[in-house]
Amino acid sequence: MGPARLAELRNQTVEVFRHGFDNYMQHAFPEDELRPVSCTPLSRDATNDHNYDLNDVLGNYSLTLIDSLSTLAILAGTPSDPDTATWALREFQDGIEKFVENHGDGRKGPSGQGRRARGFDLDSKVQVFETVIRVVGGLLSAHLFAVGELPIPGYEPVLPILEEGSDPLELPPIPWPSGFRYDGQLLRLALDLGERLLPAFYTKTGLPYPRVNLRHGIPFYVNSPLHKTSPNPLGSSQESREKTDTCSAGAGSLVLEFAVLSRLTGDSRFENLAKRAFWAVWSGKSDIGLVGNAIDPEKGEWVSYDTGIGAGVDSFFEYAFKSHILLSGHDLPNATTRERSTGREWLDPDSLHPRPLTPEEHSPGAFLEVWHQAHAAIRRHLYNDIHHPYYMTGHRTRGHPFTFWIDSLAAFYPGLLAVAGEVDEAEQANLLYTALWTRYGALPERWSVRDRQIDSGIGWWPGRPEFIESTYYLYRATNDPWYLYVGEMVLADINRLCRTPCGWSGLQNVDTKEKADRMQSFFLGETTKYLYLLFDPDHPFNKLDAAYVFSTEAHPLIIPQERRQHRQTPDQRRRRTPEPPHRRDRWVKDVNVYWDESYTNSCPAPAKEVPLTGSVLASRPDVFHAASFVNLHKAPNPHGGVEAVPAAPGSNETVMRSLTNHSLFPWTLPTSMLPENGICSALSFKPTFIIEFPSVASKGQHAGSAFNQFFANAAAFKTELGVKIVSLNGLRVTFVQEESSDPSYDHVWRITAVNLLGLGKDELVHIDADLLAGITDPLFNRVRYHPYADLVLVFDDPVEENATIEIPAEDVESTVESPLDAAEHEETPLAGGKEAPGINHGDHPTTSNDLDASYQSMLKSLVRRVTSVFDPLGTATPRHPGSGGSASPRLHVQTYKAALPVGQGAAPLPDVPDAPFSLVLGEDADHATTHSILRNDFTLPWSTVYLAGEACDGRLPDEAPRDHHIIVLRRGGCTFSAKLANIPSHTPSPHSVQLVVVVDDSNGDADGISGQEGFASLPPHLRDALVYGGGAQAGQPPWHAADDLTRPRLDVPQHTPGGLPRHRPVPMVLIRAGGGERGDAYEQFRRAKGVGVRRKYLVETQGRRVENLVVL
């Protein structure tokens, strides 16, 4: 696209802005917004306090003017059109003067009273989030332009050096041509508004309430700690009817504006509160790393299960990355910074929280880490690449699809990806929204990816900027002219569909093109701004080398490098004296710096231009995929000409019909941009197959009855780990073929649904082997997985001993006194009974490492109680009922993940039956104090244990391998081969050693943490290490996440203490020590009553692995 055409598009964009702004100032100012169809102002709904669509945003403070000031400043800075620059600078200064006339100058005296209000002393209940991003951000951005911290070429005010200790809110006046003298009025007004928002932060969770009255605070949130005594307890039926729910975006997207406000005013309250709210949202992420949508700030609990990248959560991700940019290069705020007296300094919600934010929580690197981890989770669980990539709305804790639509707010995400350096992914995602815009002439609010049409009639477009915002960022990242033609299309469609005599309307329905009588403030504040910057490559903001950001409302923000926000002449800079030590001490400098090279940390260089066409994007082989996904090729092209045709056969009435359907997108793209020999790759449809089992009707029931249908759907149920199949009756299982990261397979199969139960990418399907007994299918094979197994241990409570008696820690033989020690060491079943109600499953910590590499979910915190989630009765503290009644010992069950060795000295596990999966049956009702007791329908093969310490100091006693099934060693002191070499030779018998267990005390994978409570007690970086595997492993398949327990290596063949080859090598396994109230593994073996193993199995079909199916 040539310079002349770019100039035309710039002029058209300026005309769009002026048409809207001039009409607002003529027909609506000083009200908040303009009705462009009826040419009247739009204000709050005074008759309906719960009309949130209007009242959350419109606060009787000239919203459209505030939102437009930064756009005027950017137009004033263009070097391409001096006339536009002159007009825009005059309007920018006049707009500030008019706003100050109506709201005062922010001081306490008479000058602080405006025509409409003293500052923001307004009886308006507004949404905190919208007020911060639109009004606080708009005032701060305009202030930064007014004092010269953000560039407007030709306007360069010079501020003198401020005296030490002077008030940062009282700046030396800057004279303007009209006679108005700017001395920080907007900054003082921003502080006034910020303080009026503080009551909303009076919660114990750190999450702000969603709304606040600018005059009266939060009387409608009766449980807030701001009220010294609440008339009604939390959860009472007498609570206020005001909804407390807020969204993640609303609570977690305040850091940019509040950090700038704190740095400019010296008042740290705002930055601290915004960051605390951000971290409160992030700390509530699910165990698969996904942030939810709606949360209750009083209880800190999620109130919905959905998540995504669109409405309700969108700007949280944006502010994670942009906070990193904004805060980079600046010192950290010190909590002891003195604050200016405003009369409202007593409003400090941060005082509710005894723990101050850490330096790491203040650091820019911490926000970058959040972005990295959040995007990794989104990419892992919400990214769907079937047909054409898009981000679905998913289940927060499980990751499976939650709804089947995408929304227009999510169109911002490709732009964020481009800023963060994920350019290829950004290009893919933006193609879909470009195709949608081409089809409808705007983006519908919701679009169904299943039905390929507007979802549920929600088809309005209120002038949103997100799509053009991403287009702007992608053009800046790639310099590909394709995006200029996208901008040209957007501008033409706005002119065609949205122009009214008095401004610009939104579209009530993008299908019918019905206009909406409202011009939202963000149309002038964001949409026109990004369009203009797209068409003005020489604008200073497109070349500014500084840590500035556009907020989510497109207001440019920056933290000045100097503590005082002033610009100095070169002579003043030379005379400047060094900052005194007591001022330097007000900033914290020592902090752990985050850096992870496994993530994207820089932007790639733009791709080389394609010869002749100049567009890399137009040459992508997947361009048609996006068009096909939205059925663009089936949609009439109104720009390709129309013809009159009969409305019906034989009718005299005619209708206009498009001559062609769409073939190119954007529709403004010239054919010269297409490569001459371009190709389109095949659509990425994944092979899918379904297995169905017939529904067998019960006696007296017809096969198609609703009763039978119900029990067919009951063939499977959700568990903490995924889906448990309990019956084959009416079972329906859906398989999808996917790429494999295991080099042993070219592809793998993944189960995506069982009956009506969808599965996330890390959810597993478990089925008991007994259900498959008697079923033969040549296409399916059960394959043993050799690297790992489960080691099952039954042990009793420690015997209370005199504390003065010394008990040796090593070389202790465990004397087993239980039915397992029957004569001749026969295998004797343990007795059974019933389970006590209300069992605390934490007593049986089946940890994440109990699951092997074949099927463990990468979210290790979710696999700590495998037995309890598969058996509704659970596994807890079992007891063996002996003749002593209630005096019988209580027995406990612990399962450890065991790594089998590799190398020349490795031996297979003994050929014994697998330990049963569920060990607990029920409660013992014969005692006043009920305890869980063991089932009576299983056996454990081994019952005698010898504890040998590290076994590095020489030969073990002969009775160790001769009379004990299990020898337990501690890791360390010598090699694994050396430990085995100290075990004497022995004659194999039913009583001799069957297995050597090496216990690793390092706790490298937090094996001993029991259940969610233990997981939640970990520091955030350890929790994230468990979730993500210590790095960029969020995208790895489940079996890789289990490999944190390294398999031991036996490099040499086993031999005896005398050096002779061992003819019958001893099997060995390695486990973690674990820990907790029942002791670590080594101590549990000291009290062992039975030991067994449970092998792992995979399922293969057609030579490919089913990666998330586990046979128990």
Side-chain angles (χ1 to χ4, degrees):
M1 185 176 290
R5 181 56 182 159
L6 280 176
E8 292 177 4
L9 294 175
R10 282 196 302 271
N11 291 336
Q12 291 177 22
T13 306
V14 171
E15 192 277 331
V16 168
F17 177 83
R18 292 192 64 167
H19 180 66
F21 182 77
D22 291 344
N23 276 285
Y24 164 75
M25 296 301 292
Q26 178 181 350
H27 298 289
F29 180 80
E31 301 304 325
D32 287 309
E33 288 182 346
L34 168 69
R35 293 186 181 274
V37 177
S38 57
C39 301
T40 57
L42 179 63
S43 302
R44 293 175 59 81
D45 185 350
T47 63
N48 181 7
D49 192 47
H50 294 282
N51 185 351
Y52 296 131
D53 184 53
L54 286 180
N55 294 343
D56 273 359
V57 177
L58 309 184
N60 288 335
Y61 36 44
S62 305
L63 177 63
T64 299
L65 174 61
I66 298 174
D67 240 356
S68 300
L69 288 176
S70 61
T71 307
L72 285 166
I74 283 182
L75 294 177
T78 178
S80 306
D81 187 351
D83 292 338
T84 295
T86 301
W87 169 84
L89 180 59
R90 182 176 65 250
E91 292 295 331
F92 171 74
Q93 294 174 341
D94 288 349
I96 293 176
E97 184 175 354
K98 290 176 181 176
F99 187 79
V100 170
E101 287 177 0
N102 283 323
H103 292 271
D105 63 3
R107 293 188 176 96
K108 294 181 179 179
S111 62
Q113 179 64 51
R115 294 178 180 176
R116 289 171 64 89
R118 174 177 286 276
F120 289 91
D121 182 22
L122 301 163
D123 188 12
S124 300
K125 184 172 73 173
V126 294
Q127 190 187 91
V128 174
F129 169 66
E130 292 288 355
T131 305
V132 169
I133 65 171
R134 299 199 196 197
V135 186
V136 175
L139 294 173
L140 291 173
S141 183
H143 166 76
L144 291 168
F145 277 113
V147 298
E149 291 292 354
L150 290 173
I152 301 178
Y155 172 76
E156 297 183 0
V158 178
L159 299 180
I161 297 178
L162 300 179
E163 296 295 332
E164 183 65 29
S166 61
D167 192 340
L169 297 176
E170 296 294 339
L171 304 180
I174 302 171
W176 286 350
S178 64
F180 181 81
R181 297 167 70 83
Y182 185 79
D183 57 11
Q185 290 93 331
L186 296 187
L187 180 59
R188 293 192 292 271
L189 289 168
L191 177 61
D192 173 74
L193 179 57
E195 288 187 315
R196 295 178 184 276
L197 298 175
L198 290 179
F201 290 83
Y202 272 88
T203 67
K204 295 180 180 180
T205 63
L207 299 164
Y209 286 112
R211 295 173 182 86
V212 65
N213 187 290
L214 298 180
R215 177 176 294 165
H216 302 296
I218 54 169
F220 33 82
Y221 296 127
V222 297
N223 296 307
S224 170
L226 180 61
H227 314 305
K228 293 183 179 180
T229 58
S230 174
N232 305 300
L234 189 63
S236 166
S237 61
Q238 301 299 318
E239 288 183 19
S240 166
R241 295 176 60 189
E242 185 70 25
K243 290 183 60 177
T244 60
D245 302 352
T246 189
C247 62
S248 298
S253 306
L254 310 172
V255 176
L256 299 183
E257 293 83 0
F258 271 14
V260 172
L261 180 60
S262 285
R263 301 298 178 102
L264 293 179
T265 63
D267 189 334
S268 63
R269 290 178 293 174
F270 307 100
E271 184 172 357
N272 288 336
L273 291 170
K275 289 178 177 177
R276 188 177 295 279
F278 177 92
W279 293 117
V281 172
W282 180 242
S283 67
K285 67 182 181 297
S286 69
D287 290 326
I288 58 175
L290 295 175
V291 174
N293 193 312
I295 192 169
D296 184 348
E298 290 186 343
K299 302 176 183 178
E301 299 174 353
W302 298 106
V303 297
S304 66
Y305 285 104
D306 61 308
T307 185
I309 61 168
V313 67
D314 47 0
S315 55
F316 176 83
F317 308 119
E318 179 184 4
Y319 274 44
F321 188 76
K322 289 184 177 179
S323 294
H324 161 67
I325 297 174
L326 182 74
L327 299 173
S328 293
H330 298 279
D331 291 322
L332 306 182
N334 191 322
T336 61
T337 300
R338 291 183 303 164
E339 295 168 357
R340 177 180 183 269
S341 175
T342 63
R344 285 192 291 263
E345 58 272 6
W346 64 270
L347 277 170
D348 188 7
D350 210 41
S351 62
L352 294 174
H353 309 285
R355 184 189 71 84
L357 296 175
T358 65
E360 284 74 20
E361 289 172 319
H362 277 295
S363 68
F367 291 93
L368 177 62
E369 184 176 16
V370 170
W371 159 250
H372 282 160
Q373 295 182 2
H375 176 60
I378 290 169
R379 176 80 183 190
R380 169 70 181 166
H381 299 285
L382 304 183
Y383 180 84
N384 190 318
D385 60 350
I386 297 178
H387 200 141
H388 183 79
Y390 71 94
Y391 303 94
M392 66 184 187
T393 300
H395 193 283
R396 174 176 53 84
T397 62
R398 298 181 179 274
H400 61 72
F402 195 82
T403 63
F404 293 93
W405 46 259
I406 57 177
D407 63 50
S408 65
L409 285 168
F412 90 99
Y413 202 67
L416 178 59
L417 290 173
V419 175
E422 308 285 355
V423 176
D424 185 69
E425 185 179 349
E427 288 181 332
Q428 281 186 332
N430 196 62
L431 278 173
L432 175 61
Y433 296 106
T434 306
L436 276 174
W437 185 288
T438 306
R439 174 176 171 178
Y440 293 105
L443 284 188
E445 188 75 356
R446 285 186 187 176
W447 189 78
S448 172
V449 296
R450 178 174 54 190
D451 301 330
R452 309 296 169 88
Q453 62 185 8
I454 294 171
D455 182 75
S456 304
I458 306 176
W460 55 78
W461 180 71
R464 294 198 188 280
E466 285 76 16
F467 171 59
I468 192 61
E469 172 188 356
S470 288
T471 301
Y472 163 70
Y473 281 126
L474 276 164
Y475 178 65
R476 300 307 310 164
T478 64
N479 291 325
D480 195 311
W482 192 86
Y483 294 105
L484 296 176
Y485 290 101
V486 174
E488 181 182 25
M489 173 183 69
V490 171
L491 185 60
D493 285 335
I494 289 174
N495 264 302
R496 178 173 61 94
L497 301 175
C498 302
R499 179 182 288 272
T500 72
C502 295
W504 302 95
S505 72
L507 296 178
Q508 191 63 34
N509 188 305
V510 297
D511 255 338
T512 64
K513 308 302 188 281
E514 176 189 357
K515 289 181 170 63
D517 195 11
R518 182 178 181 183
M519 186 176 74
Q520 298 255 17
S521 69
F522 51 66
F523 180 78
L524 298 181
E526 300 184 69
T527 306
T528 56
K529 181 183 298 168
Y530 285 125
L531 274 172
Y532 189 83
L533 288 172
L534 173 66
F535 299 136
D536 193 358
D538 295 325
H539 195 282
F541 265 89
N542 289 328
K543 299 181 178 181
L544 183 59
D545 185 13
Y548 80 96
V549 294
F550 286 103
S551 73
T552 195
E553 193 69 12
H555 294 307
L557 294 172
I558 193 171
I559 295 176
Q561 286 294 331
E562 299 294 331
R563 180 69 176 90
R564 302 293 184 181
Q565 60 284 0
H566 58 269
R567 188 178 295 276
Q568 303 165 341
T569 65
D571 184 59
Q572 288 171 333
R573 294 193 187 97
R574 286 192 295 270
R575 295 199 307 268
R576 180 174 176 267
T577 57
E579 192 174 38
H582 73 276
R583 286 194 52 77
R584 293 198 300 270
D585 291 343
R586 294 169 68 173
W587 301 97
V588 180
K589 295 187 177 181
D590 296 328
V591 63
N592 295 326
V593 178
Y594 166 77
W595 175 260
D596 191 337
E597 62 182 10
S598 62
Y599 292 102
T600 301
N601 291 289
S602 61
C603 293
K608 294 182 179 180
E609 292 185 357
V610 176
L612 301 180
T613 69
S615 173
V616 175
L617 195 78
S619 305
R620 288 181 64 114
D622 60 349
V623 170
F624 177 72
H625 296 184
S628 171
F629 189 75
V630 304
N631 287 332
L632 183 60
H633 57 296
K634 299 179 181 179
N637 179 11
H639 313 285
V642 294
E643 63 177 349
V645 297
S651 173
N652 293 325
E653 297 182 1
T654 61
V655 295
M656 304 306 295
R657 182 179 66 185
S658 296
L659 294 174
T660 64
N661 288 349
H662 283 285
S663 58
L664 301 178
F665 75 102
W667 60 261
T668 51
L669 189 71
T671 56
S672 60
M673 295 289 292
L674 301 177
E676 182 177 354
N677 297 316
I679 59 173
C680 176
S681 60
L683 292 172
S684 58
F685 292 111
K686 295 183 177 180
T688 301
F689 73 89
I690 296 174
I691 295 179
E692 289 189 85
F693 294 84
S695 296
V696 180
S698 302
K699 185 177 181 180
Q701 298 294 331
H702 297 291
S705 70
F707 183 86
N708 193 61
Q709 182 74 21
F710 171 80
F711 282 99
N713 291 332
F717 62 88
K718 279 284 191 178
T719 71
E720 188 179 4
L721 302 176
V723 170
K724 174 70 182 297
I725 296 175
V726 294
S727 171
L728 301 183
N729 186 24
L731 185 68
R732 187 175 192 267
V733 183
T734 304
F735 296 77
V736 173
Q737 182 177 297
E738 295 186 339
E739 297 292 330
S740 173
S741 56
D742 187 340
S744 303
Y745 301 91
D746 57 349
H747 292 86
V748 295
W749 293 100
R750 184 171 69 87
I751 298 176
T752 59
V754 177
N755 288 355
L756 301 178
L757 303 174
L759 279 92
K761 290 186 178 178
D762 287 334
E763 288 195 288
L764 309 175
V765 178
H766 300 85
I767 185 169
D768 291 330
D770 294 343
L771 283 179
L772 303 178
I775 297 179
T776 303
D777 189 331
L779 295 179
F780 287 85
N781 299 311
R782 189 178 76 162
V783 181
R784 179 175 294 180
Y785 185 75
H786 296 286
Y788 295 92
D790 283 348
L791 188 70
V792 181
L793 174 64
V794 175
F795 59 98
D796 63 8
D797 283 329
V799 179
E800 295 186 5
E801 301 283 354
N802 189 323
T804 62
I805 298 178
E806 181 178 356
I807 300 176
E810 310 296 349
D811 296 328
V812 176
E813 177 180 338
S814 177
T815 303
V816 180
E817 299 291 347
S818 79
L820 289 174
D821 294 304
E824 303 299 322
H825 293 271
E826 293 179 357
E827 295 178 348
T828 305
L830 298 177
K834 299 180 180 179
E835 183 191 23
I839 287 297
N840 177 7
H841 298 299
D843 289 342
H844 172 54
T846 304
T847 67
S848 65
N849 299 291
D850 302 332
L851 300 178
D852 67 278
S854 69
Y855 62 84
Q856 181 190 27
S857 167
M858 66 183 304
L859 303 180
K860 304 175 186 177
S861 65
L862 290 182
V863 285
R864 304 193 184 280
R865 296 167 300 194
V866 175
T867 302
S868 64
V869 298
F870 296 146
D871 189 333
L873 295 176
T875 299
T877 309
R879 66 179 293 275
H880 171 69
S883 59
S886 60
S888 300
R890 296 181 64 188
L891 299 181
H892 310 275
V893 180
Q894 175 74 59
T895 307
Y896 288 98
K897 185 183 76 176
L900 277 65
V902 296
Q904 299 181 59
L909 288 174
D911 187 14
V912 295
D914 284 345
F917 199 84
S918 182
L919 304 181
V920 172
L921 182 63
E923 68 180 43
D924 180 2
D926 296 331
H927 303 90
T929 303
T930 58
H931 302 291
S932 294
I933 60 179
L934 296 178
R935 300 170 59 133
N936 60 2
D937 58 351
F938 75 94
T939 60
L940 290 179
W942 306 313
S943 58
T944 52
V945 178
Y946 186 89
L947 305 180
E950 290 184 347
C952 294
D953 297 331
R955 175 191 178 106
L956 298 181
D958 288 343
E959 61 267 21
R962 184 187 63 212
D963 300 331
H964 299 87
H965 296 143
I966 306 292
I967 295 178
V968 181
L969 312 176
R970 290 188 183 273
R971 185 175 185 177
C974 58
T975 65
F976 295 113
S977 295
K979 293 177 186 293
L980 295 179
N982 284 330
I983 298 176
S985 59
H986 59 280
T987 301
S989 74
H991 318 304
S992 63
V993 65
Q994 304 294 311
L995 182 68
V996 173
V997 179
V998 180
V999 178
D1000 184 351
D1001 295 318
S1002 66
N1003 290 320
D1005 51 7
D1007 234 13
I1009 298 171
S1010 174
Q1012 295 289 9
E1013 292 180 359
F1015 180 76
S1017 67
L1018 287 175
H1021 68 283
L1022 288 182
R1023 292 202 305 266
D1024 293 334
L1026 288 176
V1027 172
Y1028 296 100
Q1033 299 182 13
Q1036 291 188 357
W1039 61 86
H1040 278 217
D1043 289 343
D1044 57 342
L1045 181 58
T1046 305
R1047 300 177 66 188
R1049 178 174 292 277
L1050 303 177
D1051 290 324
V1052 297
Q1054 292 189 29
H1055 57 84
T1056 66
L1060 298 176
R1062 194 183 299 275
H1063 296 296
R1064 292 182 176 86
V1066 181
M1068 188 196 87
V1069 297
L1070 173 67
I1071 68 171
R1072 296 283 192 203
E1077 62 177 294
R1078 303 299 177 195
D1080 66 12
Y1082 195 82
E1083 293 303 317
Q1084 291 169 1
F1085 274 103
R1086 189 186 303 277
R1087 311 191 301 275
K1089 299 300 180 183
V1091 182
V1093 293
R1094 189 184 303 125
R1095 295 166 180 82
K1096 309 300 181 182
Y1097 299 93
L1098 311 177
V1099 173
E1100 290 183 350
T1101 178
Q1102 304 173 34
R1104 296 182 175 93
R1105 173 183 188 158
V1106 182
E1107 69 168 353
N1108 61 336
L1109 177 61
V1110 181
V1111 179
L1112 305 176

